[in-house]
Amino acid sequence: MEYNAQIRKAIKAEQKANVMANLGRCFGATALMILPVFLIGLLGAGIMTLTVLSQANAFALYDPYTASQHLSNSMMNGYVIIILLEIAVAGPLTLGLMNFYIAIQRGERPGIGLLFHPFASIRTIWRSIRMLCCTMFRTLLWLIGPYVVFVVLAVVLMVPMAVGMAYGNEPGTGFLVALIVLFVLYFIAIMLFAVRAAAYLPGYVLMHDDGEVGAWQATKRAGAVFKGRYKDMLTFFLSFLPWYLLFYGVVIVVAAIMAFASMSSMPSDTAQVATFAVTYAVTIVLSIFFGGFLGAYQTTSFFAMYEYLAPQPEQPAELAQPEAAQAAIQPGQDIPDGAQPEEPDAPGEGAAPDGGGQRPDDE
């Protein structure tokens, strides 16, 4: 199926209008998505703090090595609990958010309560967790390659530097420049491979439309639609780059101003802490507003792109229109006696402008 810049712009324009019609709902959905994750993060920080405090006596009872092992094991158990809790909550919320975006993409006006529908049954909770883990695993497979290359190149840079420092030689400017270039190239590679991994995201569309399809099959079928279309995907995501630059630019500027104010003109430590708290709150609010719009705009547009490219199921023969069963009269073919020649459709009423008789939807 033909896909070009004009179609991409038309898809984005349509979805931008859909998002703007549901902008308040998008803000609310983003806030409901961020809040539980934020609270779990606070819970994790609290667990880690209590773990460290509870193990303080271990350093008095055991030797330093044994005490550090106790502390390490306790913190590892805490991390595992937090990760499992994050997955258990983020899985259903992500499925609910994707269903919310799908409804917007199709011109509906969904309620933000749709985010919590996956919590209605154990089956949907388990299904959403499997889908989240599946997309994370498939994404990880794409990111392993760049990570391995980065580690190998970093070791190649670090070993000579370490040997030189052992002989009293300080690392030169060339080493620092090479290290910075390596990090920049690694970041670019991660972004490029992440674009390819995004092909699995429309698996949520398949799960939305088919309650029986599994997570692995849904992501596989979604990824197959974008096979050979990496350039189109890259162009699509790059078209949102100005929005992301604006978003992160505003957040960074506001955070920098608040942080500078807290460190330079606050009369007491309490005031500085309060300013940092306000800065954090402002950052969250900006994330909700920008993320509410940008996340919905990009995701709905990507889902619309997927549905445009995805092969459409053929219409059953018994549901076909009677006219579709009639043989088309080809140019130069004799018209049966008594039959009236059909008038060609006007442009925009179904016929192709070039007179070929093929509808755009049949391409």
Side-chain angles (χ1 to χ4, degrees):
M1 180 176 290
E2 181 186 4
Y3 178 84
N4 51 38
Q6 288 71 27
I7 293 174
R8 183 186 73 246
K9 292 177 181 178
I11 288 175
K12 290 179 62 180
E14 179 183 6
Q15 297 310 316
K16 186 177 181 181
N18 288 342
V19 170
M20 294 303 295
N22 294 273
L23 194 56
R25 297 180 177 89
C26 292
F27 292 155
T30 303
L32 290 177
M33 184 71 186
I34 290 177
L35 184 60
V37 177
F38 172 71
L39 293 178
I40 292 175
L42 287 180
L43 176 63
I47 290 177
M48 292 299 103
T49 301
L50 292 176
T51 299
V52 173
L53 294 177
S54 65
Q55 296 296 321
N57 293 331
F59 287 90
L61 298 176
Y62 305 104
D63 60 274
Y65 176 78
T66 304
S68 63
Q69 287 295 106
H70 277 282
L71 180 61
S72 177
N73 293 336
S74 299
M75 293 188 69
M76 182 58 66
N77 293 335
Y79 280 125
V80 171
I81 293 173
I82 293 302
I83 291 174
L84 292 178
L85 188 58
E86 288 274 11
I87 293 176
V89 174
L93 283 178
T94 301
L95 179 60
L97 184 64
M98 293 301 107
N99 290 338
F100 176 81
Y101 287 154
I102 292 168
I104 291 178
Q105 179 249 317
R106 295 176 178 177
E108 303 173 16
R109 290 178 174 268
I112 60 177
L114 189 61
L115 267 71
F116 300 101
H117 282 192
F119 290 100
S121 68
I122 298 298
R123 179 180 180 274
T124 53
I125 291 175
W126 177 236
R127 195 166 181 246
S128 65
I129 291 175
R130 284 187 300 161
M131 185 61 176
L132 179 64
C133 293
C134 183
T135 52
M136 291 172 61
F137 176 71
R138 287 188 177 275
T139 301
L140 181 63
L141 291 179
W142 279 100
L143 300 182
I144 286 178
Y147 177 74
V148 171
V149 173
F150 169 76
V151 170
V152 171
L153 293 178
V155 170
V156 171
L157 283 175
M158 291 292 186
V159 170
M161 184 271 296
V163 172
M165 292 184 66
Y167 286 95
N169 299 323
E170 294 295 329
T173 305
F175 168 78
L176 296 177
V177 171
L179 197 60
I180 292 173
V181 171
L182 179 60
F183 273 101
V184 171
L185 292 178
Y186 175 64
F187 176 78
I188 294 175
I190 288 294
M191 293 298 101
L192 294 178
F193 278 85
V195 167
R196 179 59 186 86
Y200 302 116
L201 186 63
Y204 281 101
V205 177
L206 291 168
M207 293 187 71
H208 176 275
D209 295 338
D210 185 353
E212 301 301 322
V213 68
W216 190 262
Q217 186 65 21
T219 51
K220 180 181 179 181
R221 287 165 55 185
V225 170
F226 293 97
K227 187 176 182 180
R229 294 187 177 274
Y230 178 77
K231 181 180 178 181
D232 293 332
M233 291 182 62
L234 183 60
T235 305
F236 171 84
F237 283 105
L238 285 178
S239 67
F240 288 91
L241 184 58
W243 286 103
Y244 280 101
L245 293 177
L246 175 63
F247 169 42
Y248 288 110
V250 170
V251 171
I252 290 173
V253 168
V254 171
I257 292 175
M258 298 291 289
F260 178 78
S262 67
M263 291 184 294
S264 61
S265 59
M266 293 294 108
S268 64
D269 293 338
T270 303
Q272 291 184 9
V273 171
T275 304
F276 272 115
V278 172
T279 302
Y280 192 64
V282 170
T283 302
I284 292 177
V285 171
L286 289 175
S287 299
I288 290 174
F289 278 91
F290 275 96
F293 166 74
L294 187 54
Y297 181 25
Q298 178 175 291
T299 306
T300 56
S301 298
F302 189 51
F303 285 167
M305 176 186 178
Y306 163 78
E307 291 195 336
Y308 181 87
L309 296 174
Q312 300 299 320
E314 295 185 2
Q315 187 181 30
E318 62 271 16
L319 297 180
Q321 297 295 330
E323 292 80 5
Q326 298 177 0
I329 299 176
Q330 303 296 329
Q333 195 176 25
D334 293 333
I335 300 176
D337 293 336
Q340 297 297 323
E342 294 184 358
E343 293 293 330
D345 292 334
E349 295 183 357
D354 59 359
Q358 187 181 19
R359 297 174 184 268
D361 293 341
D362 295 332
E363 294 183 358

